[in-house]
Amino acid sequence: MKKILPTLIVSALLTSCNSTQIQIDETPAKPNVKNIIMIIADGMGPAYTSAYRYYADDPKTEEIETTIFDKYLVGSSTTYPASVSGYVTDSAASATALASGIKTYNGAIGVDTNKNKLETVLHRAKKLGKKTGVVVTSQVNHATPASYISHNEYRRNYNELADSYIDNGINTDVLLGGGWKYFIRKDRNLVNEYKAQSVHYIDSYQELNNLPKNKAILGLFADEGLVEAIDDVDKYRLSTMTKAAIPQLENSKGFFMLIEASQIDWAGHGNDINSAMAEMTDLEKTLEYLEVFVEKNPDTLVVLTADHSTGGLTVAANGIYEWKPQLIRDLQQSSNSIAKYFNKHELSPSALSEKLAGIEVSKIEADNIASIKTIAKKKLSTYLSLSQEQKKGQYKPNVIKEINIAIKKLIDKKTNTGWTSGGHTAIDVPVFAFGTEKHRFSGAIDNTDIAKTIFKLLEEK
Ligand SMILES: [Zn+2]
């Protein structure tokens, strides 16, 4: 809203102003962002959000419904790491860029190319008196969350990273995800150390319903990453954790929160379209909750991006103009758990079809998977008959893994899904934002711009 000030007052205030009228903006000169929620959908390149639109499409209607991702798309981001690592980033370098605004080498956690520690937006928010929260579906000391919370020259120093969460001073008011293996060890029990610092510890999703107010929370729900969404007792566990975390973080000074849909990336590495879409469904549910939260709390900003794309997913492949996500919409378990079943049960077209929620399976296709299973079992029994000495340096055949790969390939063939890699790709990723100041993330930006803008927003009052 604009207001015209009388000439007299203006000339009294502004001696150098020759104009007879001056426009004063009555909206606050600087924004007031109270809460900032940063979401990283690990590995979710643009093919994933396109795929999800068709996967989520209601086939009973003529139109293709837009998704919550379409609704809040504001631009795209480059993801390349520091030049020493080329053009293709890993999650550590990208998360460090998103958290600190500085590009670094692949594998670096919150340190620059000279291994100097970097301040992150989470650290700054804490320093400014805001509460901080981290909610992820990986282990809490995995690359992305660790890059916001801590510093280490190498992402796989998992125990060191977990130790640093305590040793550098606890800087999260809520920390939820997996990681028993790293927090409860023979040499050190970090859970007990958290408890000694009056942090409330939980280890089951049920306890999320009953968190004590005004206490910091540590919630660990798995040895490493959480069970993948499609097989978990709570298929919407990211959404469940987020819903529980936010009331703990709300306070008069606001909060900064990192949410990571960690396992979209893992599904991408596994070239597993079924699991990727299940992880995205959980993320969509999380966004739907946050949309309502922002409506009620308009001084909140939500920014969502991916750190990179994974797997080189393509929505249709092999020169065929067809993608058939409807075939996997009704699947209620992962190909890995179907593989575990067929490790113990006979593979037939009808049994496979039943487990694959009705996908038609021919005898040739079933026989192919059965022979892969037979060969893998033979290799395993040969391996097991070797002496300890002979086993050294040999890879132990994994029958379930072999069946799983064959099932995933069958699903790809049926749905016509393509993959070009088991790793990351350097394609630009989409950026989504809603709530106050969302326009600050629009257009073609770089991943470091996201941190730079968040730093500015934290300082602006
Ligand atoms: Zn990855």
CSV table of all heavy atoms in Angstrom, one decimal, residues 317-369:
chain,number,residue,atom,x,y,z
A,317,ALA,N,11.2,-44.8,-22.0
A,317,ALA,CA,12.5,-45.3,-22.5
A,317,ALA,C,12.4,-46.1,-23.7
A,317,ALA,O,11.3,-46.4,-24.2
A,317,ALA,CB,13.2,-46.1,-21.4
A,318,ASN,N,13.5,-46.5,-24.3
A,318,ASN,CA,13.6,-47.4,-25.4
A,318,ASN,C,12.9,-47.0,-26.6
A,318,ASN,O,12.4,-47.9,-27.4
A,318,ASN,CB,13.1,-48.8,-24.9
A,318,ASN,CG,13.8,-49.3,-23.6
A,318,ASN,OD1,15.0,-49.2,-23.5
A,318,ASN,ND2,13.0,-49.6,-22.6
A,319,GLY,N,12.7,-45.7,-26.8
A,319,GLY,CA,12.1,-45.2,-28.0
A,319,GLY,C,10.6,-45.5,-28.1
A,319,GLY,O,9.9,-45.2,-29.1
A,320,ILE,N,10.0,-45.9,-26.9
A,320,ILE,CA,8.6,-46.1,-26.9
A,320,ILE,C,7.9,-44.9,-26.2
A,320,ILE,O,8.3,-44.5,-25.2
A,320,ILE,CB,8.3,-47.4,-26.1
A,320,ILE,CG1,9.1,-48.6,-26.7
A,320,ILE,CG2,6.8,-47.7,-26.0
A,320,ILE,CD1,9.2,-49.8,-25.7
A,321,TYR,N,6.8,-44.4,-26.9
A,321,TYR,CA,6.1,-43.3,-26.4
A,321,TYR,C,5.0,-43.7,-25.4
A,321,TYR,O,3.9,-43.5,-25.6
A,321,TYR,CB,5.5,-42.5,-27.5
A,321,TYR,CG,6.5,-41.8,-28.4
A,321,TYR,CD1,7.8,-42.3,-28.6
A,321,TYR,CD2,6.1,-40.6,-29.1
A,321,TYR,CE1,8.7,-41.6,-29.4
A,321,TYR,CE2,7.0,-40.0,-29.9
A,321,TYR,CZ,8.3,-40.5,-30.1
A,321,TYR,OH,9.2,-39.8,-30.9
A,322,GLU,N,5.5,-44.2,-24.2
A,322,GLU,CA,4.5,-44.7,-23.3
A,322,GLU,C,5.2,-44.7,-21.9
A,322,GLU,O,6.3,-45.1,-21.8
A,322,GLU,CB,4.2,-46.2,-23.7
A,322,GLU,CG,2.7,-46.4,-23.8
A,322,GLU,CD,2.5,-47.8,-24.4
A,322,GLU,OE1,3.4,-48.7,-24.4
A,322,GLU,OE2,1.3,-48.1,-24.8
A,323,TRP,N,4.5,-44.3,-20.9
A,323,TRP,CA,4.9,-44.5,-19.5
A,323,TRP,C,3.7,-45.0,-18.7
A,323,TRP,O,2.7,-44.3,-18.8
A,323,TRP,CB,5.6,-43.3,-18.9
A,323,TRP,CG,6.3,-43.6,-17.6
A,323,TRP,CD1,7.3,-44.6,-17.6
A,323,TRP,CD2,6.2,-43.1,-16.3
A,323,TRP,NE1,7.8,-44.7,-16.3
A,323,TRP,CE2,7.1,-43.8,-15.5
A,323,TRP,CE3,5.3,-42.2,-15.8
A,323,TRP,CZ2,7.2,-43.5,-14.1
A,323,TRP,CZ3,5.4,-41.9,-14.4
A,323,TRP,CH2,6.3,-42.6,-13.6
A,324,LYS,N,3.8,-46.1,-18.0
A,324,LYS,CA,2.7,-46.7,-17.4
A,324,LYS,C,2.8,-46.8,-15.9
A,324,LYS,O,2.9,-47.9,-15.3
A,324,LYS,CB,2.5,-48.1,-18.0
A,324,LYS,CG,2.1,-48.1,-19.5
A,324,LYS,CD,1.9,-49.5,-19.9
A,324,LYS,CE,1.4,-49.6,-21.3
A,324,LYS,NZ,1.4,-51.0,-21.8
A,325,PRO,N,2.7,-45.6,-15.2
A,325,PRO,CA,2.9,-45.7,-13.7
A,325,PRO,C,1.7,-46.4,-13.1
A,325,PRO,O,1.8,-46.8,-11.9
A,325,PRO,CB,2.9,-44.2,-13.3
A,325,PRO,CG,2.2,-43.5,-14.4
A,325,PRO,CD,2.5,-44.3,-15.7
A,326,GLN,N,0.5,-46.4,-13.8
A,326,GLN,CA,-0.6,-47.1,-13.2
A,326,GLN,C,-0.4,-48.5,-12.8
A,326,GLN,O,-1.0,-49.0,-11.9
A,326,GLN,CB,-1.8,-47.0,-14.2
A,326,GLN,CG,-1.7,-47.8,-15.5
A,326,GLN,CD,-1.1,-46.9,-16.6
A,326,GLN,OE1,-0.4,-46.0,-16.3
A,326,GLN,NE2,-1.3,-47.4,-17.8
A,327,LEU,N,0.6,-49.1,-13.4
A,327,LEU,CA,0.9,-50.5,-13.0
A,327,LEU,C,1.6,-50.6,-11.6
A,327,LEU,O,1.5,-51.7,-11.0
A,327,LEU,CB,1.9,-51.1,-14.1
A,327,LEU,CG,1.3,-51.2,-15.5
A,327,LEU,CD1,2.4,-51.8,-16.4
A,327,LEU,CD2,0.1,-52.2,-15.5
A,328,ILE,N,2.2,-49.6,-11.2
A,328,ILE,CA,2.8,-49.7,-9.8
A,328,ILE,C,2.0,-48.9,-8.7
A,328,ILE,O,2.4,-49.0,-7.6
A,328,ILE,CB,4.3,-49.2,-9.8
A,328,ILE,CG1,4.4,-47.8,-10.4
A,328,ILE,CG2,5.1,-50.2,-10.6
A,328,ILE,CD1,5.7,-47.1,-10.2
A,329,ARG,N,0.9,-48.3,-9.1
A,329,ARG,CA,0.2,-47.5,-8.2
A,329,ARG,C,-0.4,-48.3,-7.0
A,329,ARG,O,-0.4,-47.8,-5.9
A,329,ARG,CB,-1.0,-46.8,-8.8
A,329,ARG,CG,-0.8,-45.3,-9.1
A,329,ARG,CD,-2.0,-44.7,-9.7
A,329,ARG,NE,-1.6,-43.8,-10.8
A,329,ARG,CZ,-2.1,-43.8,-12.0
A,329,ARG,NH1,-3.0,-44.6,-12.3
A,329,ARG,NH2,-1.6,-42.9,-12.9
A,330,ASP,N,-0.7,-49.5,-7.3
A,330,ASP,CA,-1.3,-50.4,-6.2
A,330,ASP,C,-0.3,-51.2,-5.5
A,330,ASP,O,-0.7,-52.0,-4.6
A,330,ASP,CB,-2.4,-51.3,-6.8
A,330,ASP,CG,-3.6,-50.4,-7.3
A,330,ASP,OD1,-3.8,-49.3,-6.8
A,330,ASP,OD2,-4.2,-50.9,-8.3
A,331,LEU,N,1.0,-51.1,-5.8
A,331,LEU,CA,2.0,-51.9,-5.1
A,331,LEU,C,2.1,-51.4,-3.7
A,331,LEU,O,2.3,-50.2,-3.5
A,331,LEU,CB,3.3,-51.8,-5.9
A,331,LEU,CG,3.7,-52.9,-6.8
A,331,LEU,CD1,5.0,-52.6,-7.5
A,331,LEU,CD2,3.8,-54.2,-6.1
A,332,GLN,N,2.0,-52.3,-2.8
A,332,GLN,CA,2.1,-52.0,-1.4
A,332,GLN,C,3.4,-52.4,-0.7
A,332,GLN,O,3.5,-52.3,0.6
A,332,GLN,CB,0.9,-52.5,-0.6
A,332,GLN,CG,-0.5,-51.9,-1.1
A,332,GLN,CD,-0.6,-50.4,-0.8
A,332,GLN,OE1,-0.1,-49.9,0.2
A,332,GLN,NE2,-1.1,-49.7,-1.8
A,333,GLN,N,4.3,-53.0,-1.4
A,333,GLN,CA,5.6,-53.4,-0.8
A,333,GLN,C,6.7,-53.2,-1.8
A,333,GLN,O,6.5,-53.1,-3.0
A,333,GLN,CB,5.5,-54.8,-0.3
A,333,GLN,CG,5.2,-55.8,-1.3
A,333,GLN,CD,5.2,-57.2,-0.7
A,333,GLN,OE1,5.8,-57.5,0.3
A,333,GLN,NE2,4.4,-58.1,-1.4
A,334,SER,N,7.9,-53.1,-1.3
A,334,SER,CA,9.0,-52.9,-2.1
A,334,SER,C,9.4,-54.1,-2.9
A,334,SER,O,9.1,-55.2,-2.5
A,334,SER,CB,10.2,-52.4,-1.3
A,334,SER,OG,10.7,-53.5,-0.5
A,335,SER,N,10.2,-53.9,-4.0
A,335,SER,CA,10.7,-55.0,-4.7
A,335,SER,C,11.6,-55.9,-3.9
A,335,SER,O,11.7,-57.1,-4.0
A,335,SER,CB,11.3,-54.6,-6.0
A,335,SER,OG,12.3,-53.7,-5.7
A,336,ASN,N,12.3,-55.2,-3.0
A,336,ASN,CA,13.2,-55.9,-2.0
A,336,ASN,C,12.4,-56.9,-1.2
A,336,ASN,O,12.9,-58.0,-1.0
A,336,ASN,CB,14.0,-54.9,-1.2
A,336,ASN,CG,15.1,-55.5,-0.4
A,336,ASN,OD1,15.8,-56.4,-0.9
A,336,ASN,ND2,15.1,-55.2,0.9
A,337,SER,N,11.3,-56.4,-0.7
A,337,SER,CA,10.5,-57.4,0.2
A,337,SER,C,9.9,-58.5,-0.6
A,337,SER,O,9.7,-59.6,-0.2
A,337,SER,CB,9.6,-56.6,1.1
A,337,SER,OG,8.4,-56.2,0.5
A,338,ILE,N,9.5,-58.1,-1.9
A,338,ILE,CA,9.0,-59.2,-2.8
A,338,ILE,C,10.1,-60.2,-3.1
A,338,ILE,O,9.9,-61.4,-3.1
A,338,ILE,CB,8.5,-58.6,-4.1
A,338,ILE,CG1,7.3,-57.7,-3.8
A,338,ILE,CG2,8.1,-59.7,-5.1
A,338,ILE,CD1,6.8,-56.8,-5.0
A,339,ALA,N,11.4,-59.7,-3.2
A,339,ALA,CA,12.5,-60.6,-3.5
A,339,ALA,C,12.8,-61.5,-2.3
A,339,ALA,O,13.1,-62.7,-2.5
A,339,ALA,CB,13.8,-59.7,-3.8
A,340,LYS,N,12.6,-60.9,-1.1
A,340,LYS,CA,12.8,-61.8,0.1
A,340,LYS,C,11.8,-62.9,0.1
A,340,LYS,O,12.1,-64.1,0.5
A,340,LYS,CB,12.6,-60.9,1.4
A,340,LYS,CG,13.8,-60.1,1.7
A,340,LYS,CD,13.6,-59.3,3.0
A,340,LYS,CE,14.7,-58.4,3.3
A,340,LYS,NZ,14.4,-57.3,4.2
A,341,TYR,N,10.5,-62.6,-0.3
A,341,TYR,CA,9.5,-63.6,-0.3
A,341,TYR,C,9.9,-64.7,-1.3
A,341,TYR,O,9.8,-65.9,-1.0
A,341,TYR,CB,8.2,-63.0,-0.7
A,341,TYR,CG,7.0,-64.0,-1.0
A,341,TYR,CD1,6.3,-64.5,0.1
A,341,TYR,CD2,6.8,-64.4,-2.3
A,341,TYR,CE1,5.3,-65.4,-0.1
A,341,TYR,CE2,5.8,-65.3,-2.5
A,341,TYR,CZ,5.0,-65.8,-1.4
A,341,TYR,OH,4.0,-66.8,-1.6
A,342,PHE,N,10.3,-64.3,-2.5
A,342,PHE,CA,10.6,-65.3,-3.6
A,342,PHE,C,12.0,-66.0,-3.3
A,342,PHE,O,12.2,-67.1,-4.0
A,342,PHE,CB,10.6,-64.7,-5.0
A,342,PHE,CG,9.2,-64.5,-5.4
A,342,PHE,CD1,8.6,-63.3,-5.7
A,342,PHE,CD2,8.3,-65.6,-5.6
A,342,PHE,CE1,7.3,-63.1,-6.1
A,342,PHE,CE2,7.0,-65.5,-6.0
A,342,PHE,CZ,6.5,-64.2,-6.3
A,343,ASN,N,12.8,-65.5,-2.4
A,343,ASN,CA,13.9,-66.3,-2.0
A,343,ASN,C,13.5,-67.6,-1.4
A,343,ASN,O,14.2,-68.6,-1.4
A,343,ASN,CB,14.8,-65.4,-1.1
A,343,ASN,CG,16.1,-66.1,-0.6
A,343,ASN,OD1,16.7,-66.8,-1.4
A,343,ASN,ND2,16.4,-66.0,0.6
A,344,LYS,N,12.3,-67.5,-0.7
A,344,LYS,CA,11.8,-68.7,0.0
A,344,LYS,C,10.7,-69.5,-0.7
A,344,LYS,O,10.4,-70.6,-0.4
A,344,LYS,CB,11.3,-68.3,1.4
A,344,LYS,CG,12.4,-67.7,2.3
A,344,LYS,CD,12.2,-68.2,3.7
A,344,LYS,CE,13.4,-67.7,4.6
A,344,LYS,NZ,13.1,-66.5,5.3
A,345,HIS,N,10.1,-68.8,-1.7
A,345,HIS,CA,8.9,-69.4,-2.4
A,345,HIS,C,9.2,-69.5,-3.9
A,345,HIS,O,10.0,-68.8,-4.5
A,345,HIS,CB,7.7,-68.6,-2.2
A,345,HIS,CG,7.3,-68.5,-0.8
A,345,HIS,ND1,7.8,-67.6,0.1
A,345,HIS,CD2,6.4,-69.2,-0.1
A,345,HIS,CE1,7.3,-67.7,1.3
A,345,HIS,NE2,6.4,-68.7,1.2
A,346,GLU,N,8.4,-70.4,-4.5
A,346,GLU,CA,8.6,-70.7,-5.9
A,346,GLU,C,8.1,-69.6,-6.8
A,346,GLU,O,7.1,-69.0,-6.5
A,346,GLU,CB,7.9,-72.0,-6.3
A,346,GLU,CG,8.4,-72.6,-7.6
A,346,GLU,CD,7.8,-74.0,-7.9
A,346,GLU,OE1,7.4,-74.7,-6.9
A,346,GLU,OE2,7.6,-74.2,-9.1
A,347,LEU,N,8.9,-69.3,-7.8
A,347,LEU,CA,8.6,-68.3,-8.8
A,347,LEU,C,7.7,-68.8,-9.9
A,347,LEU,O,8.2,-69.7,-10.6
A,347,LEU,CB,9.9,-67.7,-9.4
A,347,LEU,CG,10.5,-66.6,-8.5
A,347,LEU,CD1,12.0,-66.6,-8.7
A,347,LEU,CD2,10.0,-65.2,-9.0
A,348,SER,N,6.5,-68.3,-10.0
A,348,SER,CA,5.6,-68.7,-11.1
A,348,SER,C,5.0,-67.4,-11.6
A,348,SER,O,5.0,-66.4,-10.9
A,348,SER,CB,4.5,-69.7,-10.6
A,348,SER,OG,3.6,-68.9,-9.8
A,349,PRO,N,4.5,-67.4,-12.9
A,349,PRO,CA,3.9,-66.2,-13.4
A,349,PRO,C,2.8,-65.7,-12.5
A,349,PRO,O,2.7,-64.5,-12.2
A,349,PRO,CB,3.4,-66.6,-14.8
A,349,PRO,CG,4.2,-67.8,-15.2
A,349,PRO,CD,4.6,-68.5,-13.9
A,350,SER,N,1.9,-66.6,-12.0
A,350,SER,CA,0.8,-66.2,-11.2
A,350,SER,C,1.2,-65.7,-9.9
A,350,SER,O,0.7,-64.6,-9.4
A,350,SER,CB,-0.2,-67.3,-11.1
A,350,SER,OG,0.4,-68.4,-10.4
A,351,ALA,N,2.2,-66.3,-9.2
A,351,ALA,CA,2.7,-65.9,-7.9
A,351,ALA,C,3.3,-64.5,-8.1
A,351,ALA,O,3.1,-63.6,-7.2
A,351,ALA,CB,3.7,-66.9,-7.3
A,352,LEU,N,4.1,-64.3,-9.1
A,352,LEU,CA,4.8,-63.0,-9.3
A,352,LEU,C,3.7,-61.9,-9.6
A,352,LEU,O,3.8,-60.8,-9.0
A,352,LEU,CB,5.7,-63.1,-10.6
A,352,LEU,CG,7.2,-63.1,-10.3
A,352,LEU,CD1,7.9,-63.3,-11.6
A,352,LEU,CD2,7.7,-61.8,-9.7
A,353,SER,N,2.8,-62.2,-10.4
A,353,SER,CA,1.8,-61.3,-10.8
A,353,SER,C,1.0,-60.9,-9.5
A,353,SER,O,0.7,-59.7,-9.4
A,353,SER,CB,0.8,-61.9,-11.8
A,353,SER,OG,-0.2,-61.0,-12.1
A,354,GLU,N,0.7,-61.8,-8.7
A,354,GLU,CA,0.0,-61.5,-7.4
A,354,GLU,C,0.7,-60.6,-6.6
A,354,GLU,O,0.2,-59.6,-6.1
A,354,GLU,CB,-0.3,-62.8,-6.7
A,354,GLU,CG,-1.4,-62.7,-5.6
A,354,GLU,CD,-1.4,-63.8,-4.6
A,354,GLU,OE1,-1.2,-65.0,-5.1
A,354,GLU,OE2,-1.5,-63.5,-3.4
A,355,LYS,N,2.0,-60.9,-6.4
A,355,LYS,CA,2.9,-60.0,-5.6
A,355,LYS,C,3.1,-58.6,-6.2
A,355,LYS,O,3.3,-57.6,-5.5
A,355,LYS,CB,4.3,-60.7,-5.4
A,355,LYS,CG,4.2,-61.8,-4.4
A,355,LYS,CD,4.2,-61.2,-2.9
A,355,LYS,CE,3.8,-62.3,-2.0
A,355,LYS,NZ,3.4,-61.7,-0.7
A,356,LEU,N,3.0,-58.5,-7.5
A,356,LEU,CA,3.2,-57.3,-8.2
A,356,LEU,C,1.9,-56.6,-8.5
A,356,LEU,O,1.7,-55.8,-9.5
A,356,LEU,CB,4.0,-57.5,-9.5
A,356,LEU,CG,5.4,-57.9,-9.4
A,356,LEU,CD1,6.1,-58.3,-10.7
A,356,LEU,CD2,6.3,-56.7,-8.7
A,357,ALA,N,0.9,-56.8,-7.6
A,357,ALA,CA,-0.4,-56.1,-7.6
A,357,ALA,C,-1.0,-56.2,-9.0
A,357,ALA,O,-1.6,-55.2,-9.5
A,357,ALA,CB,-0.2,-54.6,-7.2
A,358,GLY,N,-0.9,-57.4,-9.6
A,358,GLY,CA,-1.7,-57.6,-10.8
A,358,GLY,C,-1.0,-57.4,-12.1
A,358,GLY,O,-1.6,-57.6,-13.2
A,359,ILE,N,0.3,-56.9,-12.1
A,359,ILE,CA,1.0,-56.8,-13.3
A,359,ILE,C,1.1,-58.1,-14.0
A,359,ILE,O,1.4,-59.2,-13.4
A,359,ILE,CB,2.5,-56.3,-13.1
A,359,ILE,CG1,2.5,-54.9,-12.5
A,359,ILE,CG2,3.3,-56.3,-14.3
A,359,ILE,CD1,3.9,-54.3,-12.2
A,360,GLU,N,0.8,-58.2,-15.3
A,360,GLU,CA,0.8,-59.5,-16.0
A,360,GLU,C,2.2,-59.9,-16.2
A,360,GLU,O,3.1,-59.2,-16.7
A,360,GLU,CB,0.1,-59.3,-17.4
A,360,GLU,CG,-1.3,-59.7,-17.4
A,360,GLU,CD,-1.9,-59.6,-18.8
A,360,GLU,OE1,-1.3,-60.1,-19.7
A,360,GLU,OE2,-3.0,-58.9,-18.9
A,361,VAL,N,2.5,-61.2,-15.9
A,361,VAL,CA,3.8,-61.7,-16.0
A,361,VAL,C,3.8,-63.0,-16.9
A,361,VAL,O,3.0,-63.9,-16.6
A,361,VAL,CB,4.4,-62.1,-14.6
A,361,VAL,CG1,5.9,-62.6,-14.8
A,361,VAL,CG2,4.4,-60.9,-13.7
A,362,SER,N,4.6,-63.0,-17.9
A,362,SER,CA,4.6,-64.2,-18.8
A,362,SER,C,5.5,-65.3,-18.2
A,362,SER,O,6.2,-65.1,-17.3
A,362,SER,CB,5.1,-63.8,-20.2
A,362,SER,OG,6.5,-63.5,-20.1
A,363,LYS,N,5.3,-66.5,-18.8
A,363,LYS,CA,6.1,-67.6,-18.3
A,363,LYS,C,7.6,-67.4,-18.6
A,363,LYS,O,8.4,-67.6,-17.7
A,363,LYS,CB,5.7,-68.9,-19.0
A,363,LYS,CG,6.4,-70.1,-18.6
A,363,LYS,CD,5.7,-71.4,-18.7
A,363,LYS,CE,6.4,-72.6,-18.1
A,363,LYS,NZ,7.8,-72.6,-18.0
A,364,ILE,N,7.9,-66.8,-19.7
A,364,ILE,CA,9.3,-66.5,-20.0
A,364,ILE,C,9.9,-65.5,-19.0
A,364,ILE,O,11.0,-65.7,-18.5
A,364,ILE,CB,9.5,-65.9,-21.4
A,364,ILE,CG1,9.1,-66.9,-22.5
A,364,ILE,CG2,10.9,-65.4,-21.7
A,364,ILE,CD1,9.0,-66.4,-23.9
A,365,GLU,N,9.1,-64.5,-18.6
A,365,GLU,CA,9.6,-63.5,-17.6
A,365,GLU,C,9.8,-64.2,-16.2
A,365,GLU,O,10.8,-63.9,-15.6
A,365,GLU,CB,8.6,-62.3,-17.5
A,365,GLU,CG,8.7,-61.4,-18.8
A,365,GLU,CD,7.4,-60.5,-18.9
A,365,GLU,OE1,6.4,-60.8,-18.3
A,365,GLU,OE2,7.5,-59.6,-19.7
A,366,ALA,N,8.9,-65.0,-15.8
A,366,ALA,CA,9.0,-65.7,-14.5
A,366,ALA,C,10.2,-66.6,-14.6
A,366,ALA,O,10.9,-66.7,-13.6
A,366,ALA,CB,7.7,-66.4,-14.2
A,367,ASP,N,10.3,-67.4,-15.7
A,367,ASP,CA,11.4,-68.3,-15.8
A,367,ASP,C,12.8,-67.6,-15.7
A,367,ASP,O,13.7,-68.2,-15.1
A,367,ASP,CB,11.3,-69.1,-17.1
A,367,ASP,CG,10.2,-70.2,-17.1
A,367,ASP,OD1,9.6,-70.4,-16.0
A,367,ASP,OD2,9.9,-70.7,-18.1
A,368,ASN,N,12.8,-66.5,-16.3
A,368,ASN,CA,14.1,-65.7,-16.3
A,368,ASN,C,14.5,-65.4,-14.9
A,368,ASN,O,15.6,-65.5,-14.5
A,368,ASN,CB,13.8,-64.4,-17.2
A,368,ASN,CG,15.1,-63.5,-17.1
A,368,ASN,OD1,16.2,-64.0,-17.2
A,368,ASN,ND2,14.9,-62.2,-17.0
A,369,ILE,N,13.5,-64.9,-14.1
A,369,ILE,CA,13.9,-64.5,-12.7
A,369,ILE,C,14.2,-65.8,-11.9
A,369,ILE,O,15.1,-65.8,-11.1
A,369,ILE,CB,12.7,-63.7,-12.1
A,369,ILE,CG1,12.5,-62.4,-12.9
A,369,ILE,CG2,13.1,-63.4,-10.6
A,369,ILE,CD1,11.3,-61.6,-12.4
